[in-house]
Amino acid sequence: MPILEFKNVSKTYNNVTKALTDISFSINSGEFVAIIGPSGSGKSTILRCINRLVDATQGGIIFDEFDVCHANKNEIRQIRKKVGMIFQHYNLVERLSVIENVLHGRLGHKSTISGIIGRYTEPEKEQAFQILEKLGLTEQAYKRCDELSGGQKQRVGIARSLMQEPNLILCDEPIASLDPSTSKVIMDHLSNINKTMGITCILNLHQVDVALKYAGRIIGLTSGKIVYDGPPNQLLKSTIHEIYQSNEGELITDVA
């Protein structure tokens, strides 16, 4: 059974701007999927519809047996507990330490009071340090996040996501702000998490070469419509040009 299904989903902003038009696809547990397309193609809208940061205008979304589009507040909370989110600009609390930001990944599992006062169990703290070690961040554990490099901040974002113990991780342009060598580190970590932990990953990417190298499946979007959905080795150059409407400047950013 798929972990995620989009059924004829459309999204229109302000009754004017069509972000998605009749999108349908399903993703099985354990897949590593890259969504590619130019700016404004609807990539981010797809991710935000999954965790109800935005509401689909039409159609249906099923995640882990939840009817996302009709979920009530408690169900949305349950959905978000199971969906990790990694952002282009990290979305960390910069004044707090690395370990505090990572522990924030447990907030969805706690009562409001426990979350406000930052009450975490010893097993949770041990888990956080284990994740930091896995991501090579042990020495940065007590540094403030505003002291970190971009790549380190993104690894903190990944660690925070893993603390949720998610079934699905959504990555919204996770390497767009990073240099090629740092991008490779981030992509290697995400790929390793997918392979060793079996967590389904969906990534929005501009860089076609990165998608071709890492993804097991590519979904190509143009103007809110799916142009391609299949394995990397069947993605033709002509289809890439169709996706990007011959905007070759979007196509390549090396990850050496």
PDB file of all heavy atoms in Angstrom, residues 122-152:
ATOM      1  N   GLU A 122      15.562  11.546  29.742  1.00  0.00           N
ATOM      2  CA  GLU A 122      16.947  11.136  29.503  1.00  0.00           C
ATOM      3  C   GLU A 122      17.081  10.300  28.231  1.00  0.00           C
ATOM      4  O   GLU A 122      18.016  10.501  27.445  1.00  0.00           O
ATOM      5  CB  GLU A 122      17.502  10.380  30.712  1.00  0.00           C
ATOM      6  CG  GLU A 122      17.829  11.262  31.902  1.00  0.00           C
ATOM      7  CD  GLU A 122      18.787  12.396  31.543  1.00  0.00           C
ATOM      8  OE1 GLU A 122      19.822  12.125  30.891  1.00  0.00           O
ATOM      9  OE2 GLU A 122      18.498  13.551  31.900  1.00  0.00           O
ATOM     10  N   PRO A 123      16.152   9.348  27.971  1.00  0.00           N
ATOM     11  CA  PRO A 123      16.234   8.614  26.704  1.00  0.00           C
ATOM     12  C   PRO A 123      16.136   9.527  25.481  1.00  0.00           C
ATOM     13  O   PRO A 123      16.806   9.266  24.467  1.00  0.00           O
ATOM     14  CB  PRO A 123      15.043   7.648  26.776  1.00  0.00           C
ATOM     15  CG  PRO A 123      14.835   7.425  28.234  1.00  0.00           C
ATOM     16  CD  PRO A 123      15.145   8.742  28.877  1.00  0.00           C
ATOM     17  N   GLU A 124      15.322  10.572  25.568  1.00  0.00           N
ATOM     18  CA  GLU A 124      15.215  11.517  24.451  1.00  0.00           C
ATOM     19  C   GLU A 124      16.533  12.259  24.245  1.00  0.00           C
ATOM     20  O   GLU A 124      16.976  12.457  23.107  1.00  0.00           O
ATOM     21  CB  GLU A 124      14.074  12.511  24.701  1.00  0.00           C
ATOM     22  CG  GLU A 124      12.696  11.909  24.505  1.00  0.00           C
ATOM     23  CD  GLU A 124      11.575  12.842  24.914  1.00  0.00           C
ATOM     24  OE1 GLU A 124      11.788  13.710  25.796  1.00  0.00           O
ATOM     25  OE2 GLU A 124      10.470  12.704  24.369  1.00  0.00           O
ATOM     26  N   LYS A 125      17.167  12.650  25.334  1.00  0.00           N
ATOM     27  CA  LYS A 125      18.454  13.345  25.232  1.00  0.00           C
ATOM     28  C   LYS A 125      19.524  12.411  24.650  1.00  0.00           C
ATOM     29  O   LYS A 125      20.337  12.826  23.817  1.00  0.00           O
ATOM     30  CB  LYS A 125      18.881  13.871  26.605  1.00  0.00           C
ATOM     31  CG  LYS A 125      17.981  14.976  27.138  1.00  0.00           C
ATOM     32  CD  LYS A 125      18.363  15.367  28.559  1.00  0.00           C
ATOM     33  CE  LYS A 125      17.398  16.398  29.133  1.00  0.00           C
ATOM     34  NZ  LYS A 125      17.706  16.723  30.543  1.00  0.00           N
ATOM     35  N   GLU A 126      19.509  11.153  25.093  1.00  0.00           N
ATOM     36  CA  GLU A 126      20.459  10.179  24.560  1.00  0.00           C
ATOM     37  C   GLU A 126      20.234   9.966  23.067  1.00  0.00           C
ATOM     38  O   GLU A 126      21.196   9.881  22.285  1.00  0.00           O
ATOM     39  CB  GLU A 126      20.317   8.848  25.310  1.00  0.00           C
ATOM     40  CG  GLU A 126      20.802   8.896  26.742  1.00  0.00           C
ATOM     41  CD  GLU A 126      20.514   7.610  27.494  1.00  0.00           C
ATOM     42  OE1 GLU A 126      20.096   6.625  26.838  1.00  0.00           O
ATOM     43  OE2 GLU A 126      20.700   7.590  28.724  1.00  0.00           O
ATOM     44  N   GLN A 127      18.973   9.884  22.679  1.00  0.00           N
ATOM     45  CA  GLN A 127      18.643   9.719  21.262  1.00  0.00           C
ATOM     46  C   GLN A 127      19.146  10.904  20.450  1.00  0.00           C
ATOM     47  O   GLN A 127      19.695  10.734  19.349  1.00  0.00           O
ATOM     48  CB  GLN A 127      17.132   9.565  21.093  1.00  0.00           C
ATOM     49  CG  GLN A 127      16.687   9.352  19.647  1.00  0.00           C
ATOM     50  CD  GLN A 127      15.171   9.307  19.504  1.00  0.00           C
ATOM     51  OE1 GLN A 127      14.437   9.617  20.451  1.00  0.00           O
ATOM     52  NE2 GLN A 127      14.693   8.923  18.340  1.00  0.00           N
ATOM     53  N   ALA A 128      18.971  12.115  20.985  1.00  0.00           N
ATOM     54  CA  ALA A 128      19.416  13.320  20.282  1.00  0.00           C
ATOM     55  C   ALA A 128      20.926  13.289  20.058  1.00  0.00           C
ATOM     56  O   ALA A 128      21.408  13.621  18.961  1.00  0.00           O
ATOM     57  CB  ALA A 128      19.017  14.562  21.076  1.00  0.00           C
ATOM     58  N   PHE A 129      21.688  12.882  21.067  1.00  0.00           N
ATOM     59  CA  PHE A 129      23.142  12.828  20.914  1.00  0.00           C
ATOM     60  C   PHE A 129      23.569  11.719  19.945  1.00  0.00           C
ATOM     61  O   PHE A 129      24.543  11.882  19.208  1.00  0.00           O
ATOM     62  CB  PHE A 129      23.815  12.641  22.269  1.00  0.00           C
ATOM     63  CG  PHE A 129      24.016  13.930  23.018  1.00  0.00           C
ATOM     64  CD1 PHE A 129      23.174  14.274  24.063  1.00  0.00           C
ATOM     65  CD2 PHE A 129      25.025  14.813  22.657  1.00  0.00           C
ATOM     66  CE1 PHE A 129      23.344  15.472  24.743  1.00  0.00           C
ATOM     67  CE2 PHE A 129      25.210  16.010  23.330  1.00  0.00           C
ATOM     68  CZ  PHE A 129      24.357  16.344  24.383  1.00  0.00           C
ATOM     69  N   GLN A 130      22.841  10.630  19.926  1.00  0.00           N
ATOM     70  CA  GLN A 130      23.134   9.567  18.959  1.00  0.00           C
ATOM     71  C   GLN A 130      22.932  10.055  17.526  1.00  0.00           C
ATOM     72  O   GLN A 130      23.729   9.752  16.628  1.00  0.00           O
ATOM     73  CB  GLN A 130      22.256   8.355  19.242  1.00  0.00           C
ATOM     74  CG  GLN A 130      22.642   7.593  20.489  1.00  0.00           C
ATOM     75  CD  GLN A 130      21.610   6.543  20.875  1.00  0.00           C
ATOM     76  OE1 GLN A 130      20.601   6.355  20.187  1.00  0.00           O
ATOM     77  NE2 GLN A 130      21.844   5.851  21.990  1.00  0.00           N
ATOM     78  N   ILE A 131      21.881  10.814  17.318  1.00  0.00           N
ATOM     79  CA  ILE A 131      21.616  11.364  15.985  1.00  0.00           C
ATOM     80  C   ILE A 131      22.679  12.383  15.601  1.00  0.00           C
ATOM     81  O   ILE A 131      23.158  12.396  14.458  1.00  0.00           O
ATOM     82  CB  ILE A 131      20.206  11.997  15.936  1.00  0.00           C
ATOM     83  CG1 ILE A 131      19.139  10.910  16.052  1.00  0.00           C
ATOM     84  CG2 ILE A 131      20.010  12.790  14.645  1.00  0.00           C
ATOM     85  CD1 ILE A 131      17.734  11.436  16.235  1.00  0.00           C
ATOM     86  N   LEU A 132      23.072  13.226  16.545  1.00  0.00           N
ATOM     87  CA  LEU A 132      24.130  14.206  16.266  1.00  0.00           C
ATOM     88  C   LEU A 132      25.434  13.514  15.899  1.00  0.00           C
ATOM     89  O   LEU A 132      26.157  13.952  15.002  1.00  0.00           O
ATOM     90  CB  LEU A 132      24.336  15.124  17.480  1.00  0.00           C
ATOM     91  CG  LEU A 132      23.236  16.146  17.756  1.00  0.00           C
ATOM     92  CD1 LEU A 132      23.552  16.934  19.026  1.00  0.00           C
ATOM     93  CD2 LEU A 132      23.081  17.110  16.578  1.00  0.00           C
ATOM     94  N   GLU A 133      25.733  12.412  16.588  1.00  0.00           N
ATOM     95  CA  GLU A 133      26.951  11.661  16.256  1.00  0.00           C
ATOM     96  C   GLU A 133      26.857  11.099  14.843  1.00  0.00           C
ATOM     97  O   GLU A 133      27.825  11.155  14.078  1.00  0.00           O
ATOM     98  CB  GLU A 133      27.140  10.533  17.270  1.00  0.00           C
ATOM     99  CG  GLU A 133      28.422   9.732  17.039  1.00  0.00           C
ATOM    100  CD  GLU A 133      28.631   8.645  18.085  1.00  0.00           C
ATOM    101  OE1 GLU A 133      27.719   8.420  18.899  1.00  0.00           O
ATOM    102  OE2 GLU A 133      29.710   8.029  18.073  1.00  0.00           O
ATOM    103  N   LYS A 134      25.699  10.584  14.481  1.00  0.00           N
ATOM    104  CA  LYS A 134      25.489  10.013  13.151  1.00  0.00           C
ATOM    105  C   LYS A 134      25.712  11.059  12.067  1.00  0.00           C
ATOM    106  O   LYS A 134      26.208  10.754  10.974  1.00  0.00           O
ATOM    107  CB  LYS A 134      24.058   9.468  13.068  1.00  0.00           C
ATOM    108  CG  LYS A 134      23.683   8.792  11.749  1.00  0.00           C
ATOM    109  CD  LYS A 134      22.234   8.339  11.771  1.00  0.00           C
ATOM    110  CE  LYS A 134      21.844   7.633  10.480  1.00  0.00           C
ATOM    111  NZ  LYS A 134      22.411   6.285  10.373  1.00  0.00           N
ATOM    112  N   LEU A 135      25.386  12.318  12.378  1.00  0.00           N
ATOM    113  CA  LEU A 135      25.497  13.413  11.408  1.00  0.00           C
ATOM    114  C   LEU A 135      26.787  14.221  11.566  1.00  0.00           C
ATOM    115  O   LEU A 135      26.959  15.250  10.918  1.00  0.00           O
ATOM    116  CB  LEU A 135      24.283  14.339  11.529  1.00  0.00           C
ATOM    117  CG  LEU A 135      22.949  13.710  11.107  1.00  0.00           C
ATOM    118  CD1 LEU A 135      21.783  14.586  11.525  1.00  0.00           C
ATOM    119  CD2 LEU A 135      22.919  13.480   9.599  1.00  0.00           C
ATOM    120  N   GLY A 136      27.681  13.762  12.439  1.00  0.00           N
ATOM    121  CA  GLY A 136      28.964  14.427  12.609  1.00  0.00           C
ATOM    122  C   GLY A 136      28.883  15.775  13.292  1.00  0.00           C
ATOM    123  O   GLY A 136      29.672  16.681  13.003  1.00  0.00           O
ATOM    124  N   LEU A 137      27.946  15.904  14.236  1.00  0.00           N
ATOM    125  CA  LEU A 137      27.724  17.201  14.891  1.00  0.00           C
ATOM    126  C   LEU A 137      27.957  17.168  16.405  1.00  0.00           C
ATOM    127  O   LEU A 137      27.605  18.121  17.099  1.00  0.00           O
ATOM    128  CB  LEU A 137      26.289  17.679  14.628  1.00  0.00           C
ATOM    129  CG  LEU A 137      25.975  18.162  13.221  1.00  0.00           C
ATOM    130  CD1 LEU A 137      24.463  18.324  13.062  1.00  0.00           C
ATOM    131  CD2 LEU A 137      26.682  19.475  12.919  1.00  0.00           C
ATOM    132  N   THR A 138      28.552  16.106  16.907  1.00  0.00           N
ATOM    133  CA  THR A 138      28.720  15.969  18.360  1.00  0.00           C
ATOM    134  C   THR A 138      29.449  17.161  18.960  1.00  0.00           C
ATOM    135  O   THR A 138      29.054  17.691  20.013  1.00  0.00           O
ATOM    136  CB  THR A 138      29.484  14.666  18.691  1.00  0.00           C
ATOM    137  OG1 THR A 138      28.793  13.558  18.109  1.00  0.00           O
ATOM    138  CG2 THR A 138      29.586  14.466  20.188  1.00  0.00           C
ATOM    139  N   GLU A 139      30.515  17.623  18.307  1.00  0.00           N
ATOM    140  CA  GLU A 139      31.313  18.721  18.860  1.00  0.00           C
ATOM    141  C   GLU A 139      30.577  20.058  18.841  1.00  0.00           C
ATOM    142  O   GLU A 139      30.962  20.987  19.548  1.00  0.00           O
ATOM    143  CB  GLU A 139      32.634  18.844  18.090  1.00  0.00           C
ATOM    144  CG  GLU A 139      33.561  17.649  18.285  1.00  0.00           C
ATOM    145  CD  GLU A 139      34.884  17.829  17.563  1.00  0.00           C
ATOM    146  OE1 GLU A 139      35.081  18.899  16.944  1.00  0.00           O
ATOM    147  OE2 GLU A 139      35.703  16.902  17.616  1.00  0.00           O
ATOM    148  N   GLN A 140      29.511  20.149  18.035  1.00  0.00           N
ATOM    149  CA  GLN A 140      28.746  21.391  17.955  1.00  0.00           C
ATOM    150  C   GLN A 140      27.514  21.389  18.866  1.00  0.00           C
ATOM    151  O   GLN A 140      26.732  22.343  18.870  1.00  0.00           O
ATOM    152  CB  GLN A 140      28.276  21.631  16.510  1.00  0.00           C
ATOM    153  CG  GLN A 140      29.344  22.196  15.583  1.00  0.00           C
ATOM    154  CD  GLN A 140      30.377  21.160  15.194  1.00  0.00           C
ATOM    155  OE1 GLN A 140      30.035  20.011  14.984  1.00  0.00           O
ATOM    156  NE2 GLN A 140      31.637  21.565  15.103  1.00  0.00           N
ATOM    157  N   ALA A 141      27.324  20.339  19.657  1.00  0.00           N
ATOM    158  CA  ALA A 141      26.073  20.141  20.388  1.00  0.00           C
ATOM    159  C   ALA A 141      25.663  21.352  21.229  1.00  0.00           C
ATOM    160  O   ALA A 141      24.470  21.687  21.303  1.00  0.00           O
ATOM    161  CB  ALA A 141      26.168  18.897  21.270  1.00  0.00           C
ATOM    162  N   TYR A 142      26.621  22.031  21.856  1.00  0.00           N
ATOM    163  CA  TYR A 142      26.277  23.130  22.759  1.00  0.00           C
ATOM    164  C   TYR A 142      26.544  24.509  22.160  1.00  0.00           C
ATOM    165  O   TYR A 142      26.421  25.519  22.849  1.00  0.00           O
ATOM    166  CB  TYR A 142      27.010  22.959  24.091  1.00  0.00           C
ATOM    167  CG  TYR A 142      26.542  21.720  24.832  1.00  0.00           C
ATOM    168  CD1 TYR A 142      27.355  20.589  24.894  1.00  0.00           C
ATOM    169  CD2 TYR A 142      25.287  21.660  25.429  1.00  0.00           C
ATOM    170  CE1 TYR A 142      26.928  19.435  25.547  1.00  0.00           C
ATOM    171  CE2 TYR A 142      24.851  20.521  26.083  1.00  0.00           C
ATOM    172  CZ  TYR A 142      25.678  19.412  26.137  1.00  0.00           C
ATOM    173  OH  TYR A 142      25.242  18.274  26.773  1.00  0.00           O
ATOM    174  N   LYS A 143      26.879  24.534  20.884  1.00  0.00           N
ATOM    175  CA  LYS A 143      27.027  25.825  20.204  1.00  0.00           C
ATOM    176  C   LYS A 143      25.673  26.396  19.854  1.00  0.00           C
ATOM    177  O   LYS A 143      24.716  25.665  19.571  1.00  0.00           O
ATOM    178  CB  LYS A 143      27.841  25.651  18.903  1.00  0.00           C
ATOM    179  CG  LYS A 143      29.322  25.464  19.101  1.00  0.00           C
ATOM    180  CD  LYS A 143      30.026  25.466  17.743  1.00  0.00           C
ATOM    181  CE  LYS A 143      31.527  25.308  17.900  1.00  0.00           C
ATOM    182  NZ  LYS A 143      32.206  25.278  16.575  1.00  0.00           N
ATOM    183  N   ARG A 144      25.585  27.728  19.875  1.00  0.00           N
ATOM    184  CA  ARG A 144      24.378  28.366  19.367  1.00  0.00           C
ATOM    185  C   ARG A 144      24.301  28.161  17.856  1.00  0.00           C
ATOM    186  O   ARG A 144      25.334  28.133  17.170  1.00  0.00           O
ATOM    187  CB  ARG A 144      24.407  29.869  19.669  1.00  0.00           C
ATOM    188  CG  ARG A 144      24.077  30.230  21.094  1.00  0.00           C
ATOM    189  CD  ARG A 144      24.313  31.701  21.372  1.00  0.00           C
ATOM    190  NE  ARG A 144      23.694  32.586  20.389  1.00  0.00           N
ATOM    191  CZ  ARG A 144      22.872  33.585  20.680  1.00  0.00           C
ATOM    192  NH1 ARG A 144      22.536  33.818  21.946  1.00  0.00           N
ATOM    193  NH2 ARG A 144      22.388  34.373  19.745  1.00  0.00           N
ATOM    194  N   CYS A 145      23.090  28.036  17.353  1.00  0.00           N
ATOM    195  CA  CYS A 145      22.958  27.752  15.922  1.00  0.00           C
ATOM    196  C   CYS A 145      23.397  28.912  15.049  1.00  0.00           C
ATOM    197  O   CYS A 145      23.765  28.707  13.888  1.00  0.00           O
ATOM    198  CB  CYS A 145      21.518  27.352  15.606  1.00  0.00           C
ATOM    199  SG  CYS A 145      21.160  25.636  16.070  1.00  0.00           S
ATOM    200  N   ASP A 146      23.391  30.139  15.586  1.00  0.00           N
ATOM    201  CA  ASP A 146      23.861  31.266  14.776  1.00  0.00           C
ATOM    202  C   ASP A 146      25.379  31.285  14.625  1.00  0.00           C
ATOM    203  O   ASP A 146      25.929  32.130  13.912  1.00  0.00           O
ATOM    204  CB  ASP A 146      23.349  32.606  15.325  1.00  0.00           C
ATOM    205  CG  ASP A 146      23.706  32.849  16.779  1.00  0.00           C
ATOM    206  OD1 ASP A 146      24.536  32.097  17.336  1.00  0.00           O
ATOM    207  OD2 ASP A 146      23.150  33.794  17.379  1.00  0.00           O
ATOM    208  N   GLU A 147      26.078  30.349  15.262  1.00  0.00           N
ATOM    209  CA  GLU A 147      27.534  30.237  15.120  1.00  0.00           C
ATOM    210  C   GLU A 147      27.925  29.197  14.067  1.00  0.00           C
ATOM    211  O   GLU A 147      29.112  29.018  13.780  1.00  0.00           O
ATOM    212  CB  GLU A 147      28.170  29.838  16.463  1.00  0.00           C
ATOM    213  CG  GLU A 147      27.950  30.840  17.589  1.00  0.00           C
ATOM    214  CD  GLU A 147      28.499  30.323  18.908  1.00  0.00           C
ATOM    215  OE1 GLU A 147      29.308  29.367  18.896  1.00  0.00           O
ATOM    216  OE2 GLU A 147      28.113  30.857  19.957  1.00  0.00           O
ATOM    217  N   LEU A 148      26.940  28.522  13.482  1.00  0.00           N
ATOM    218  CA  LEU A 148      27.224  27.405  12.580  1.00  0.00           C
ATOM    219  C   LEU A 148      27.280  27.838  11.122  1.00  0.00           C
ATOM    220  O   LEU A 148      26.714  28.862  10.731  1.00  0.00           O
ATOM    221  CB  LEU A 148      26.141  26.333  12.729  1.00  0.00           C
ATOM    222  CG  LEU A 148      25.896  25.756  14.121  1.00  0.00           C
ATOM    223  CD1 LEU A 148      24.792  24.712  14.061  1.00  0.00           C
ATOM    224  CD2 LEU A 148      27.174  25.179  14.714  1.00  0.00           C
ATOM    225  N   SER A 149      27.934  27.025  10.306  1.00  0.00           N
ATOM    226  CA  SER A 149      27.915  27.220   8.859  1.00  0.00           C
ATOM    227  C   SER A 149      26.574  26.752   8.307  1.00  0.00           C
ATOM    228  O   SER A 149      25.788  26.080   8.993  1.00  0.00           O
ATOM    229  CB  SER A 149      29.039  26.414   8.207  1.00  0.00           C
ATOM    230  OG  SER A 149      28.776  25.021   8.339  1.00  0.00           O
ATOM    231  N   GLY A 150      26.311  27.074   7.043  1.00  0.00           N
ATOM    232  CA  GLY A 150      25.064  26.661   6.410  1.00  0.00           C
ATOM    233  C   GLY A 150      24.887  25.151   6.378  1.00  0.00           C
ATOM    234  O   GLY A 150      23.809  24.626   6.659  1.00  0.00           O
ATOM    235  N   GLY A 151      25.966  24.443   6.051  1.00  0.00           N
ATOM    236  CA  GLY A 151      25.892  22.989   6.006  1.00  0.00           C
ATOM    237  C   GLY A 151      25.620  22.377   7.372  1.00  0.00           C
ATOM    238  O   GLY A 151      24.869  21.408   7.493  1.00  0.00           O
ATOM    239  N   GLN A 152      26.257  22.952   8.408  1.00  0.00           N
ATOM    240  CA  GLN A 152      26.007  22.461   9.767  1.00  0.00           C
ATOM    241  C   GLN A 152      24.560  22.727  10.176  1.00  0.00           C
ATOM    242  O   GLN A 152      23.904  21.870  10.788  1.00  0.00           O
ATOM    243  CB  GLN A 152      26.971  23.134  10.745  1.00  0.00           C
ATOM    244  CG  GLN A 152      28.405  22.660  10.611  1.00  0.00           C
ATOM    245  CD  GLN A 152      29.381  23.489  11.418  1.00  0.00           C
ATOM    246  OE1 GLN A 152      29.156  24.686  11.674  1.00  0.00           O
ATOM    247  NE2 GLN A 152      30.475  22.877  11.827  1.00  0.00           N
TER     248      GLN A 152
END
